[in-house]
Structure formats: structure tokens, C-alpha cells
PDB file of all heavy atoms in Angstrom:
ATOM      1  N   ASP A   1      -7.297   4.251  -8.407  1.00  0.00           N
ATOM      2  CA  ASP A   1      -6.257   4.526  -9.398  1.00  0.00           C
ATOM      3  C   ASP A   1      -5.710   5.955  -9.324  1.00  0.00           C
ATOM      4  O   ASP A   1      -4.808   6.313 -10.092  1.00  0.00           O
ATOM      5  CB  ASP A   1      -6.804   4.278 -10.808  1.00  0.00           C
ATOM      6  CG  ASP A   1      -7.151   2.817 -11.040  1.00  0.00           C
ATOM      7  OD1 ASP A   1      -6.433   1.951 -10.502  1.00  0.00           O
ATOM      8  OD2 ASP A   1      -8.146   2.541 -11.743  1.00  0.00           O
ATOM      9  N   THR A   2      -6.242   6.761  -8.425  1.00  0.00           N
ATOM     10  CA  THR A   2      -5.752   8.136  -8.280  1.00  0.00           C
ATOM     11  C   THR A   2      -4.279   8.121  -7.851  1.00  0.00           C
ATOM     12  O   THR A   2      -3.918   7.392  -6.919  1.00  0.00           O
ATOM     13  CB  THR A   2      -6.584   8.895  -7.226  1.00  0.00           C
ATOM     14  OG1 THR A   2      -7.938   8.992  -7.679  1.00  0.00           O
ATOM     15  CG2 THR A   2      -6.034  10.291  -6.990  1.00  0.00           C
ATOM     16  N   PRO A   3      -3.419   8.892  -8.512  1.00  0.00           N
ATOM     17  CA  PRO A   3      -2.003   8.933  -8.115  1.00  0.00           C
ATOM     18  C   PRO A   3      -1.843   9.337  -6.654  1.00  0.00           C
ATOM     19  O   PRO A   3      -2.564  10.209  -6.156  1.00  0.00           O
ATOM     20  CB  PRO A   3      -1.405   9.987  -9.056  1.00  0.00           C
ATOM     21  CG  PRO A   3      -2.303   9.976 -10.251  1.00  0.00           C
ATOM     22  CD  PRO A   3      -3.682   9.718  -9.712  1.00  0.00           C
ATOM     23  N   CYS A   4      -0.921   8.684  -5.977  1.00  0.00           N
ATOM     24  CA  CYS A   4      -0.703   8.928  -4.554  1.00  0.00           C
ATOM     25  C   CYS A   4       0.495   9.852  -4.338  1.00  0.00           C
ATOM     26  O   CYS A   4       1.580   9.613  -4.880  1.00  0.00           O
ATOM     27  CB  CYS A   4      -0.458   7.606  -3.828  1.00  0.00           C
ATOM     28  SG  CYS A   4      -1.899   6.528  -3.744  1.00  0.00           S
ATOM     29  N   HIS A   5       0.274  10.884  -3.530  1.00  0.00           N
ATOM     30  CA  HIS A   5       1.340  11.817  -3.174  1.00  0.00           C
ATOM     31  C   HIS A   5       1.228  12.136  -1.681  1.00  0.00           C
ATOM     32  O   HIS A   5       0.904  13.267  -1.288  1.00  0.00           O
ATOM     33  CB  HIS A   5       1.252  13.096  -4.004  1.00  0.00           C
ATOM     34  CG  HIS A   5       1.347  12.860  -5.480  1.00  0.00           C
ATOM     35  ND1 HIS A   5       2.527  12.499  -6.104  1.00  0.00           N
ATOM     36  CD2 HIS A   5       0.400  12.901  -6.454  1.00  0.00           C
ATOM     37  CE1 HIS A   5       2.314  12.350  -7.403  1.00  0.00           C
ATOM     38  NE2 HIS A   5       1.034  12.585  -7.645  1.00  0.00           N
ATOM     39  N   PRO A   6       1.470  11.145  -0.822  1.00  0.00           N
ATOM     40  CA  PRO A   6       1.326  11.368   0.620  1.00  0.00           C
ATOM     41  C   PRO A   6       2.335  12.379   1.145  1.00  0.00           C
ATOM     42  O   PRO A   6       3.476  12.428   0.677  1.00  0.00           O
ATOM     43  CB  PRO A   6       1.583   9.976   1.212  1.00  0.00           C
ATOM     44  CG  PRO A   6       2.434   9.285   0.192  1.00  0.00           C
ATOM     45  CD  PRO A   6       1.963   9.799  -1.131  1.00  0.00           C
ATOM     46  N   PHE A   7       1.911  13.198   2.111  1.00  0.00           N
ATOM     47  CA  PHE A   7       2.821  14.181   2.688  1.00  0.00           C
ATOM     48  C   PHE A   7       3.250  13.807   4.105  1.00  0.00           C
ATOM     49  O   PHE A   7       4.272  14.295   4.588  1.00  0.00           O
ATOM     50  CB  PHE A   7       2.210  15.592   2.675  1.00  0.00           C
ATOM     51  CG  PHE A   7       0.819  15.678   3.233  1.00  0.00           C
ATOM     52  CD1 PHE A   7       0.597  15.702   4.594  1.00  0.00           C
ATOM     53  CD2 PHE A   7      -0.274  15.748   2.386  1.00  0.00           C
ATOM     54  CE1 PHE A   7      -0.688  15.789   5.110  1.00  0.00           C
ATOM     55  CE2 PHE A   7      -1.566  15.842   2.884  1.00  0.00           C
ATOM     56  CZ  PHE A   7      -1.774  15.862   4.254  1.00  0.00           C
ATOM     57  N   SER A   8       2.521  12.934   4.780  1.00  0.00           N
ATOM     58  CA  SER A   8       2.919  12.500   6.123  1.00  0.00           C
ATOM     59  C   SER A   8       3.746  11.224   6.024  1.00  0.00           C
ATOM     60  O   SER A   8       3.612  10.440   5.076  1.00  0.00           O
ATOM     61  CB  SER A   8       1.686  12.237   7.000  1.00  0.00           C
ATOM     62  OG  SER A   8       0.977  11.088   6.549  1.00  0.00           O
ATOM     63  N   GLU A   9       4.614  11.009   7.007  1.00  0.00           N
ATOM     64  CA  GLU A   9       5.396   9.775   7.040  1.00  0.00           C
ATOM     65  C   GLU A   9       4.478   8.563   7.182  1.00  0.00           C
ATOM     66  O   GLU A   9       4.782   7.487   6.659  1.00  0.00           O
ATOM     67  CB  GLU A   9       6.409   9.822   8.192  1.00  0.00           C
ATOM     68  CG  GLU A   9       7.481  10.884   8.037  1.00  0.00           C
ATOM     69  CD  GLU A   9       8.347  10.672   6.804  1.00  0.00           C
ATOM     70  OE1 GLU A   9       8.519   9.512   6.375  1.00  0.00           O
ATOM     71  OE2 GLU A   9       8.845  11.674   6.255  1.00  0.00           O
ATOM     72  N   TYR A  10       3.378   8.743   7.866  1.00  0.00           N
ATOM     73  CA  TYR A  10       2.377   7.680   8.011  1.00  0.00           C
ATOM     74  C   TYR A  10       1.823   7.283   6.639  1.00  0.00           C
ATOM     75  O   TYR A  10       1.791   6.101   6.281  1.00  0.00           O
ATOM     76  CB  TYR A  10       1.260   8.188   8.928  1.00  0.00           C
ATOM     77  CG  TYR A  10       0.020   7.329   8.985  1.00  0.00           C
ATOM     78  CD1 TYR A  10       0.004   6.147   9.716  1.00  0.00           C
ATOM     79  CD2 TYR A  10      -1.152   7.721   8.333  1.00  0.00           C
ATOM     80  CE1 TYR A  10      -1.147   5.370   9.781  1.00  0.00           C
ATOM     81  CE2 TYR A  10      -2.296   6.952   8.398  1.00  0.00           C
ATOM     82  CZ  TYR A  10      -2.290   5.782   9.118  1.00  0.00           C
ATOM     83  OH  TYR A  10      -3.422   5.005   9.181  1.00  0.00           O
ATOM     84  N   GLY A  11       1.403   8.280   5.857  1.00  0.00           N
ATOM     85  CA  GLY A  11       0.871   8.004   4.531  1.00  0.00           C
ATOM     86  C   GLY A  11       1.918   7.382   3.616  1.00  0.00           C
ATOM     87  O   GLY A  11       1.612   6.469   2.837  1.00  0.00           O
ATOM     88  N   LYS A  12       3.154   7.860   3.712  1.00  0.00           N
ATOM     89  CA  LYS A  12       4.233   7.309   2.896  1.00  0.00           C
ATOM     90  C   LYS A  12       4.486   5.843   3.243  1.00  0.00           C
ATOM     91  O   LYS A  12       4.725   5.005   2.360  1.00  0.00           O
ATOM     92  CB  LYS A  12       5.507   8.126   3.108  1.00  0.00           C
ATOM     93  CG  LYS A  12       5.441   9.545   2.572  1.00  0.00           C
ATOM     94  CD  LYS A  12       6.695  10.332   2.939  1.00  0.00           C
ATOM     95  CE  LYS A  12       6.576  11.791   2.506  1.00  0.00           C
ATOM     96  NZ  LYS A  12       7.760  12.589   2.937  1.00  0.00           N
ATOM     97  N   ALA A  13       4.437   5.536   4.539  1.00  0.00           N
ATOM     98  CA  ALA A  13       4.684   4.157   4.969  1.00  0.00           C
ATOM     99  C   ALA A  13       3.562   3.231   4.522  1.00  0.00           C
ATOM    100  O   ALA A  13       3.805   2.093   4.097  1.00  0.00           O
ATOM    101  CB  ALA A  13       4.844   4.104   6.485  1.00  0.00           C
ATOM    102  N   LYS A  14       2.330   3.702   4.601  1.00  0.00           N
ATOM    103  CA  LYS A  14       1.200   2.890   4.156  1.00  0.00           C
ATOM    104  C   LYS A  14       1.292   2.602   2.657  1.00  0.00           C
ATOM    105  O   LYS A  14       0.979   1.495   2.205  1.00  0.00           O
ATOM    106  CB  LYS A  14      -0.118   3.597   4.480  1.00  0.00           C
ATOM    107  CG  LYS A  14      -0.489   3.622   5.957  1.00  0.00           C
ATOM    108  CD  LYS A  14      -0.850   2.243   6.460  1.00  0.00           C
ATOM    109  CE  LYS A  14      -1.431   2.294   7.880  1.00  0.00           C
ATOM    110  NZ  LYS A  14      -1.800   0.951   8.379  1.00  0.00           N
ATOM    111  N   LEU A  15       1.714   3.588   1.892  1.00  0.00           N
ATOM    112  CA  LEU A  15       1.875   3.384   0.452  1.00  0.00           C
ATOM    113  C   LEU A  15       3.038   2.431   0.169  1.00  0.00           C
ATOM    114  O   LEU A  15       2.928   1.542  -0.690  1.00  0.00           O
ATOM    115  CB  LEU A  15       2.114   4.723  -0.237  1.00  0.00           C
ATOM    116  CG  LEU A  15       2.319   4.677  -1.756  1.00  0.00           C
ATOM    117  CD1 LEU A  15       1.116   4.074  -2.454  1.00  0.00           C
ATOM    118  CD2 LEU A  15       2.606   6.080  -2.295  1.00  0.00           C
ATOM    119  N   GLU A  16       4.124   2.581   0.911  1.00  0.00           N
ATOM    120  CA  GLU A  16       5.278   1.715   0.688  1.00  0.00           C
ATOM    121  C   GLU A  16       4.956   0.263   1.010  1.00  0.00           C
ATOM    122  O   GLU A  16       5.369  -0.645   0.275  1.00  0.00           O
ATOM    123  CB  GLU A  16       6.466   2.184   1.531  1.00  0.00           C
ATOM    124  CG  GLU A  16       7.727   1.364   1.307  1.00  0.00           C
ATOM    125  CD  GLU A  16       8.942   1.898   2.038  1.00  0.00           C
ATOM    126  OE1 GLU A  16       8.942   3.088   2.416  1.00  0.00           O
ATOM    127  OE2 GLU A  16       9.901   1.115   2.227  1.00  0.00           O
ATOM    128  N   ILE A  17       4.207   0.021   2.085  1.00  0.00           N
ATOM    129  CA  ILE A  17       3.905  -1.375   2.423  1.00  0.00           C
ATOM    130  C   ILE A  17       2.944  -1.971   1.412  1.00  0.00           C
ATOM    131  O   ILE A  17       2.986  -3.182   1.134  1.00  0.00           O
ATOM    132  CB  ILE A  17       3.357  -1.509   3.868  1.00  0.00           C
ATOM    133  CG1 ILE A  17       3.387  -2.979   4.301  1.00  0.00           C
ATOM    134  CG2 ILE A  17       1.958  -0.957   3.996  1.00  0.00           C
ATOM    135  CD1 ILE A  17       4.743  -3.644   4.196  1.00  0.00           C
ATOM    136  N   LYS A  18       2.097  -1.145   0.808  1.00  0.00           N
ATOM    137  CA  LYS A  18       1.245  -1.669  -0.266  1.00  0.00           C
ATOM    138  C   LYS A  18       2.099  -2.163  -1.416  1.00  0.00           C
ATOM    139  O   LYS A  18       1.917  -3.281  -1.938  1.00  0.00           O
ATOM    140  CB  LYS A  18       0.267  -0.585  -0.734  1.00  0.00           C
ATOM    141  CG  LYS A  18      -0.786  -1.080  -1.752  1.00  0.00           C
ATOM    142  CD  LYS A  18      -0.329  -1.116  -3.190  1.00  0.00           C
ATOM    143  CE  LYS A  18       0.011   0.271  -3.714  1.00  0.00           C
ATOM    144  NZ  LYS A  18       0.406   0.173  -5.180  1.00  0.00           N
ATOM    145  N   GLU A  19       3.068  -1.338  -1.829  1.00  0.00           N
ATOM    146  CA  GLU A  19       3.906  -1.690  -2.966  1.00  0.00           C
ATOM    147  C   GLU A  19       4.787  -2.902  -2.660  1.00  0.00           C
ATOM    148  O   GLU A  19       4.878  -3.842  -3.461  1.00  0.00           O
ATOM    149  CB  GLU A  19       4.757  -0.484  -3.364  1.00  0.00           C
ATOM    150  CG  GLU A  19       3.906   0.671  -3.905  1.00  0.00           C
ATOM    151  CD  GLU A  19       4.681   1.970  -4.068  1.00  0.00           C
ATOM    152  OE1 GLU A  19       5.807   2.070  -3.524  1.00  0.00           O
ATOM    153  OE2 GLU A  19       4.157   2.888  -4.726  1.00  0.00           O
ATOM    154  N   ARG A  20       5.388  -2.909  -1.491  1.00  0.00           N
ATOM    155  CA  ARG A  20       6.230  -4.045  -1.117  1.00  0.00           C
ATOM    156  C   ARG A  20       5.393  -5.278  -0.827  1.00  0.00           C
ATOM    157  O   ARG A  20       5.800  -6.412  -1.133  1.00  0.00           O
ATOM    158  CB  ARG A  20       7.100  -3.675   0.082  1.00  0.00           C
ATOM    159  CG  ARG A  20       8.160  -2.634  -0.240  1.00  0.00           C
ATOM    160  CD  ARG A  20       8.995  -2.282   0.979  1.00  0.00           C
ATOM    161  NE  ARG A  20       9.688  -3.437   1.519  1.00  0.00           N
ATOM    162  CZ  ARG A  20      10.468  -3.395   2.604  1.00  0.00           C
ATOM    163  NH1 ARG A  20      10.643  -2.237   3.248  1.00  0.00           N
ATOM    164  NH2 ARG A  20      11.077  -4.475   3.051  1.00  0.00           N
ATOM    165  N   GLY A  21       4.221  -5.074  -0.243  1.00  0.00           N
ATOM    166  CA  GLY A  21       3.342  -6.192   0.056  1.00  0.00           C
ATOM    167  C   GLY A  21       2.831  -6.882  -1.198  1.00  0.00           C
ATOM    168  O   GLY A  21       2.765  -8.116  -1.267  1.00  0.00           O
ATOM    169  N   PHE A  22       2.472  -6.084  -2.196  1.00  0.00           N
ATOM    170  CA  PHE A  22       2.023  -6.658  -3.465  1.00  0.00           C
ATOM    171  C   PHE A  22       3.124  -7.530  -4.076  1.00  0.00           C
ATOM    172  O   PHE A  22       2.868  -8.650  -4.543  1.00  0.00           O
ATOM    173  CB  PHE A  22       1.654  -5.541  -4.444  1.00  0.00           C
ATOM    174  CG  PHE A  22       0.215  -5.093  -4.351  1.00  0.00           C
ATOM    175  CD1 PHE A  22      -0.506  -5.235  -3.183  1.00  0.00           C
ATOM    176  CD2 PHE A  22      -0.420  -4.527  -5.448  1.00  0.00           C
ATOM    177  CE1 PHE A  22      -1.826  -4.825  -3.096  1.00  0.00           C
ATOM    178  CE2 PHE A  22      -1.738  -4.120  -5.379  1.00  0.00           C
ATOM    179  CZ  PHE A  22      -2.449  -4.260  -4.198  1.00  0.00           C
ATOM    180  N   ALA A  23       4.354  -7.012  -4.083  1.00  0.00           N
ATOM    181  CA  ALA A  23       5.471  -7.749  -4.678  1.00  0.00           C
ATOM    182  C   ALA A  23       5.763  -9.034  -3.904  1.00  0.00           C
ATOM    183  O   ALA A  23       5.976 -10.105  -4.500  1.00  0.00           O
ATOM    184  CB  ALA A  23       6.719  -6.868  -4.729  1.00  0.00           C
ATOM    185  N   LEU A  24       5.758  -8.944  -2.576  1.00  0.00           N
ATOM    186  CA  LEU A  24       6.041 -10.117  -1.754  1.00  0.00           C
ATOM    187  C   LEU A  24       4.932 -11.153  -1.870  1.00  0.00           C
ATOM    188  O   LEU A  24       5.201 -12.360  -1.941  1.00  0.00           O
ATOM    189  CB  LEU A  24       6.225  -9.699  -0.291  1.00  0.00           C
ATOM    190  CG  LEU A  24       6.526 -10.823   0.701  1.00  0.00           C
ATOM    191  CD1 LEU A  24       7.782 -11.589   0.295  1.00  0.00           C
ATOM    192  CD2 LEU A  24       6.667 -10.264   2.118  1.00  0.00           C
ATOM    193  N   ALA A  25       3.690 -10.701  -1.912  1.00  0.00           N
ATOM    194  CA  ALA A  25       2.564 -11.626  -2.044  1.00  0.00           C
ATOM    195  C   ALA A  25       2.644 -12.395  -3.361  1.00  0.00           C
ATOM    196  O   ALA A  25       2.361 -13.605  -3.413  1.00  0.00           O
ATOM    197  CB  ALA A  25       1.243 -10.863  -1.960  1.00  0.00           C
ATOM    198  N   GLU A  26       3.037 -11.712  -4.413  1.00  0.00           N
ATOM    199  CA  GLU A  26       3.189 -12.384  -5.707  1.00  0.00           C
ATOM    200  C   GLU A  26       4.298 -13.429  -5.632  1.00  0.00           C
ATOM    201  O   GLU A  26       4.156 -14.549  -6.135  1.00  0.00           O
ATOM    202  CB  GLU A  26       3.502 -11.366  -6.800  1.00  0.00           C
ATOM    203  CG  GLU A  26       3.627 -11.981  -8.184  1.00  0.00           C
ATOM    204  CD  GLU A  26       3.839 -10.952  -9.269  1.00  0.00           C
ATOM    205  OE1 GLU A  26       4.118  -9.773  -8.935  1.00  0.00           O
ATOM    206  OE2 GLU A  26       3.718 -11.305 -10.455  1.00  0.00           O
ATOM    207  N   GLU A  27       5.385 -13.067  -4.973  1.00  0.00           N
ATOM    208  CA  GLU A  27       6.510 -13.999  -4.833  1.00  0.00           C
ATOM    209  C   GLU A  27       6.129 -15.231  -4.016  1.00  0.00           C
ATOM    210  O   GLU A  27       6.522 -16.360  -4.351  1.00  0.00           O
ATOM    211  CB  GLU A  27       7.677 -13.267  -4.161  1.00  0.00           C
ATOM    212  CG  GLU A  27       8.885 -14.134  -3.865  1.00  0.00           C
ATOM    213  CD  GLU A  27       9.939 -13.383  -3.055  1.00  0.00           C
ATOM    214  OE1 GLU A  27      10.033 -12.144  -3.205  1.00  0.00           O
ATOM    215  OE2 GLU A  27      10.654 -14.028  -2.272  1.00  0.00           O
ATOM    216  N   LEU A  28       5.356 -15.021  -2.955  1.00  0.00           N
ATOM    217  CA  LEU A  28       4.996 -16.122  -2.065  1.00  0.00           C
ATOM    218  C   LEU A  28       3.778 -16.907  -2.531  1.00  0.00           C
ATOM    219  O   LEU A  28       3.501 -17.990  -2.021  1.00  0.00           O
ATOM    220  CB  LEU A  28       4.719 -15.573  -0.650  1.00  0.00           C
ATOM    221  CG  LEU A  28       5.897 -14.909   0.073  1.00  0.00           C
ATOM    222  CD1 LEU A  28       5.442 -14.362   1.422  1.00  0.00           C
ATOM    223  CD2 LEU A  28       7.041 -15.897   0.262  1.00  0.00           C
ATOM    224  N   GLY A  29       3.028 -16.348  -3.485  1.00  0.00           N
ATOM    225  CA  GLY A  29       1.825 -17.017  -3.961  1.00  0.00           C
ATOM    226  C   GLY A  29       0.677 -16.912  -2.984  1.00  0.00           C
ATOM    227  O   GLY A  29      -0.043 -17.890  -2.727  1.00  0.00           O
ATOM    228  N   ILE A  30       0.464 -15.723  -2.422  1.00  0.00           N
ATOM    229  CA  ILE A  30      -0.620 -15.473  -1.476  1.00  0.00           C
ATOM    230  C   ILE A  30      -1.439 -14.281  -1.967  1.00  0.00           C
ATOM    231  O   ILE A  30      -0.890 -13.337  -2.548  1.00  0.00           O
ATOM    232  CB  ILE A  30      -0.051 -15.216  -0.053  1.00  0.00           C
ATOM    233  CG1 ILE A  30      -1.165 -15.119   0.987  1.00  0.00           C
ATOM    234  CG2 ILE A  30       0.822 -13.978  -0.022  1.00  0.00           C
ATOM    235  CD1 ILE A  30      -0.640 -15.054   2.417  1.00  0.00           C
ATOM    236  N   LYS A  31      -2.735 -14.316  -1.777  1.00  0.00           N
ATOM    237  CA  LYS A  31      -3.579 -13.194  -2.171  1.00  0.00           C
ATOM    238  C   LYS A  31      -3.362 -12.025  -1.209  1.00  0.00           C
ATOM    239  O   LYS A  31      -3.055 -12.232  -0.023  1.00  0.00           O
ATOM    240  CB  LYS A  31      -5.049 -13.605  -2.171  1.00  0.00           C
ATOM    241  CG  LYS A  31      -5.393 -14.669  -3.200  1.00  0.00           C
ATOM    242  CD  LYS A  31      -6.879 -15.007  -3.179  1.00  0.00           C
ATOM    243  CE  LYS A  31      -7.237 -16.003  -4.273  1.00  0.00           C
ATOM    244  NZ  LYS A  31      -8.699 -16.281  -4.330  1.00  0.00           N
ATOM    245  N   TYR A  32      -3.549 -10.792  -1.721  1.00  0.00           N
ATOM    246  CA  TYR A  32      -3.264  -9.606  -0.904  1.00  0.00           C
ATOM    247  C   TYR A  32      -4.352  -8.565  -1.142  1.00  0.00           C
ATOM    248  O   TYR A  32      -4.608  -8.164  -2.283  1.00  0.00           O
ATOM    249  CB  TYR A  32      -1.900  -9.033  -1.287  1.00  0.00           C
ATOM    250  CG  TYR A  32      -1.319  -8.045  -0.302  1.00  0.00           C
ATOM    251  CD1 TYR A  32      -0.328  -8.431   0.593  1.00  0.00           C
ATOM    252  CD2 TYR A  32      -1.735  -6.724  -0.272  1.00  0.00           C
ATOM    253  CE1 TYR A  32       0.238  -7.522   1.474  1.00  0.00           C
ATOM    254  CE2 TYR A  32      -1.192  -5.810   0.614  1.00  0.00           C
ATOM    255  CZ  TYR A  32      -0.202  -6.215   1.489  1.00  0.00           C
ATOM    256  OH  TYR A  32       0.342  -5.328   2.376  1.00  0.00           O
ATOM    257  N   LEU A  33      -4.948  -8.123  -0.058  1.00  0.00           N
ATOM    258  CA  LEU A  33      -6.011  -7.117  -0.103  1.00  0.00           C
ATOM    259  C   LEU A  33      -5.554  -5.886   0.674  1.00  0.00           C
ATOM    260  O   LEU A  33      -5.284  -5.963   1.874  1.00  0.00           O
ATOM    261  CB  LEU A  33      -7.294  -7.698   0.523  1.00  0.00           C
ATOM    262  CG  LEU A  33      -8.488  -6.768   0.737  1.00  0.00           C
ATOM    263  CD1 LEU A  33      -8.960  -6.154  -0.567  1.00  0.00           C
ATOM    264  CD2 LEU A  33      -9.632  -7.539   1.407  1.00  0.00           C
ATOM    265  N   HIS A  34      -5.443  -4.764  -0.025  1.00  0.00           N
ATOM    266  CA  HIS A  34      -5.017  -3.509   0.600  1.00  0.00           C
ATOM    267  C   HIS A  34      -6.223  -2.591   0.718  1.00  0.00           C
ATOM    268  O   HIS A  34      -6.834  -2.206  -0.280  1.00  0.00           O
ATOM    269  CB  HIS A  34      -3.924  -2.850  -0.253  1.00  0.00           C
ATOM    270  CG  HIS A  34      -3.362  -1.592   0.342  1.00  0.00           C
ATOM    271  ND1 HIS A  34      -2.472  -1.601   1.394  1.00  0.00           N
ATOM    272  CD2 HIS A  34      -3.556  -0.286   0.025  1.00  0.00           C
ATOM    273  CE1 HIS A  34      -2.137  -0.362   1.690  1.00  0.00           C
ATOM    274  NE2 HIS A  34      -2.785   0.459   0.883  1.00  0.00           N
ATOM    275  N   LEU A  35      -6.577  -2.243   1.940  1.00  0.00           N
ATOM    276  CA  LEU A  35      -7.751  -1.422   2.209  1.00  0.00           C
ATOM    277  C   LEU A  35      -7.332   0.034   2.392  1.00  0.00           C
ATOM    278  O   LEU A  35      -6.520   0.339   3.271  1.00  0.00           O
ATOM    279  CB  LEU A  35      -8.453  -1.907   3.487  1.00  0.00           C
ATOM    280  CG  LEU A  35      -8.801  -3.386   3.556  1.00  0.00           C
ATOM    281  CD1 LEU A  35      -9.233  -3.751   4.972  1.00  0.00           C
ATOM    282  CD2 LEU A  35      -9.893  -3.741   2.552  1.00  0.00           C
ATOM    283  N   ARG A  36      -7.881   0.919   1.587  1.00  0.00           N
ATOM    284  CA  ARG A  36      -7.636   2.352   1.800  1.00  0.00           C
ATOM    285  C   ARG A  36      -8.824   2.888   2.618  1.00  0.00           C
ATOM    286  O   ARG A  36      -9.892   3.194   2.087  1.00  0.00           O
ATOM    287  CB  ARG A  36      -7.506   3.078   0.461  1.00  0.00           C
ATOM    288  CG  ARG A  36      -6.197   2.676  -0.249  1.00  0.00           C
ATOM    289  CD  ARG A  36      -5.402   3.896  -0.688  1.00  0.00           C
ATOM    290  NE  ARG A  36      -4.063   3.488  -1.142  1.00  0.00           N
ATOM    291  CZ  ARG A  36      -3.694   3.406  -2.414  1.00  0.00           C
ATOM    292  NH1 ARG A  36      -4.545   3.712  -3.372  1.00  0.00           N
ATOM    293  NH2 ARG A  36      -2.477   3.040  -2.732  1.00  0.00           N
ATOM    294  N   ILE A  37      -8.627   2.967   3.920  1.00  0.00           N
ATOM    295  CA  ILE A  37      -9.691   3.317   4.852  1.00  0.00           C
ATOM    296  C   ILE A  37      -9.769   4.832   5.000  1.00  0.00           C
ATOM    297  O   ILE A  37      -8.776   5.500   5.308  1.00  0.00           O
ATOM    298  CB  ILE A  37      -9.452   2.645   6.216  1.00  0.00           C
ATOM    299  CG1 ILE A  37      -9.411   1.114   6.031  1.00  0.00           C
ATOM    300  CG2 ILE A  37     -10.543   3.035   7.204  1.00  0.00           C
ATOM    301  CD1 ILE A  37      -9.058   0.350   7.293  1.00  0.00           C
ATOM    302  N   PHE A  38     -10.961   5.369   4.788  1.00  0.00           N
ATOM    303  CA  PHE A  38     -11.172   6.820   4.880  1.00  0.00           C
ATOM    304  C   PHE A  38     -11.563   7.186   6.319  1.00  0.00           C
ATOM    305  O   PHE A  38     -11.051   6.592   7.262  1.00  0.00           O
ATOM    306  CB  PHE A  38     -12.204   7.263   3.844  1.00  0.00           C
ATOM    307  CG  PHE A  38     -11.623   7.411   2.460  1.00  0.00           C
ATOM    308  CD1 PHE A  38     -11.197   6.297   1.746  1.00  0.00           C
ATOM    309  CD2 PHE A  38     -11.452   8.657   1.869  1.00  0.00           C
ATOM    310  CE1 PHE A  38     -10.634   6.416   0.489  1.00  0.00           C
ATOM    311  CE2 PHE A  38     -10.880   8.792   0.604  1.00  0.00           C
ATOM    312  CZ  PHE A  38     -10.477   7.664  -0.086  1.00  0.00           C
ATOM    313  N   SER A  39     -12.421   8.140   6.517  1.00  0.00           N
ATOM    314  CA  SER A  39     -12.682   8.681   7.848  1.00  0.00           C
ATOM    315  C   SER A  39     -13.778   7.871   8.545  1.00  0.00           C
ATOM    316  O   SER A  39     -14.958   7.995   8.217  1.00  0.00           O
ATOM    317  CB  SER A  39     -13.092  10.159   7.743  1.00  0.00           C
ATOM    318  OG  SER A  39     -13.014  10.797   8.981  1.00  0.00           O
TER     319      SER A  39
END
């Protein structure tokens, strides 16, 4: 739940696909698991 403030384009894209993926998964009726992988 920590607020996200990515500074790299990579981090921004990963956050954007989470947000768009969640919305699309809800629309399509499919479960969606987003993994925030650390080091």
C-alpha cells in the first residue's frame, strides 16, 4: 500500500501496466496477480 513514485521509465511502465491490467482484468472477468519483485 506504500504510495508509488517511480523515477525510471521502467518503474513507471510497470506501475502503469498494473493499473491498466487491473482494470482490464475486471472488465474481462479474469483474476490478476501483480508481483512486486525486489532484489
Side-chain angles (χ1 to χ4, degrees):
D1 295 325
T2 297
C4 292
H5 301 288
F7 50 79
S8 69
E9 295 298 331
Y10 169 76
K12 292 175 185 176
K14 288 291 189 179
L15 179 59
E16 182 175 340
I17 194 55
K18 187 277 297 182
E19 294 169 346
R20 292 179 60 181
F22 271 26
L24 180 57
E26 182 176 12
E27 176 187 330
L28 297 177
I30 187 172
K31 295 182 176 184
Y32 195 101
L33 173 59
H34 183 76
L35 307 169
R36 290 231 170 103
I37 301 175
F38 280 69
S39 195

